[in-house]
Each structure stands twice: as structure tokens, then as C-alpha cells.
Amino acid sequence: ANGCVYRCRHKKTGKTYAAKKLKIEEEHVSDLKRNFINLKELHHSCLIKYKALYLDLQQHCGYLVMECFNKPS
């Protein structure tokens, strides 16, 4: 899915994450939740871990929070 990715920080732990902002339509919310649950359960050293999904139905957007990967320079 297309969207913008933002760097964010957990207020309590200070850990850095990536949050992808997605445009969503209400009829796709259940599919998005189901896909997130499936992605969150994938574990492999080559995959970014998915942490949380936040939905803002009034703004028609969702935020997919995942590990932040800093590419080597």
C-alpha cells in the first residue's frame, strides 16, 4: 500500500519506530486488521517486525507502526 513513512519515538521507552500513514476506506478496515494480525505473527531475521496498528476513521487513515531500520551509510 502507498503511504508516507515517519520516524516516531515511544514516549515511555524512547525507542524509535517507523509509522506508515495509510489512506483507508471504512469498507477495508476489517481486511487491514486481518492483514496486520497475519504480518505481526511473521518472524524472520530478514523481515521488519510489525508492532501496532492505529486507525483514525474520522480522518480516513491508519498508522502501521513497525521497527525502524536505519540503512548503513
Side-chain angles (χ1 to χ4, degrees), residues 42-56:
L42 292 176
H43 298 284
H44 190 277
S45 61
C46 295
L47 295 176
I48 296 291
K49 291 185 177 86
Y50 288 79
K51 299 294 186 179
L53 175 65
Y54 298 101
L55 300 173
D56 185 346

Side-chain angles (χ1 to χ4, degrees), residues 6-10 13-18 65-70:
Y6 302 93
R7 185 182 307 263
C8 59
R9 187 175 311 269
H10 191 281
T13 66
K15 186 167 179 172
T16 302
Y17 293 96
V65 181
M66 58 198 100
E67 287 182 319
C68 188
F69 176 75
N70 295 317

Side-chain angles (χ1 to χ4, degrees), residues 11-60:
K11 288 182 180 181
K12 291 182 182 177
T13 66
K15 186 167 179 172
T16 302
Y17 293 96
K20 184 174 186 178
K21 184 178 181 181
L22 305 165
K23 288 185 178 181
I24 56 170
E25 300 297 327
E26 283 192 52
E27 61 266 16
H28 297 123
V29 170
S30 61
D31 291 335
L32 185 60
K33 287 179 182 180
R34 185 173 47 254
N35 288 338
F36 169 74
I37 290 168
N38 291 333
L39 289 169
K40 190 174 178 182
E41 293 184 10
L42 292 176
H43 298 284
H44 190 277
S45 61
C46 295
L47 295 176
I48 296 291
K49 291 185 177 86
Y50 288 79
K51 299 294 186 179
L53 175 65
Y54 298 101
L55 300 173
D56 185 346
L57 298 179
Q58 292 178 346
Q59 298 294 322
H60 300 284

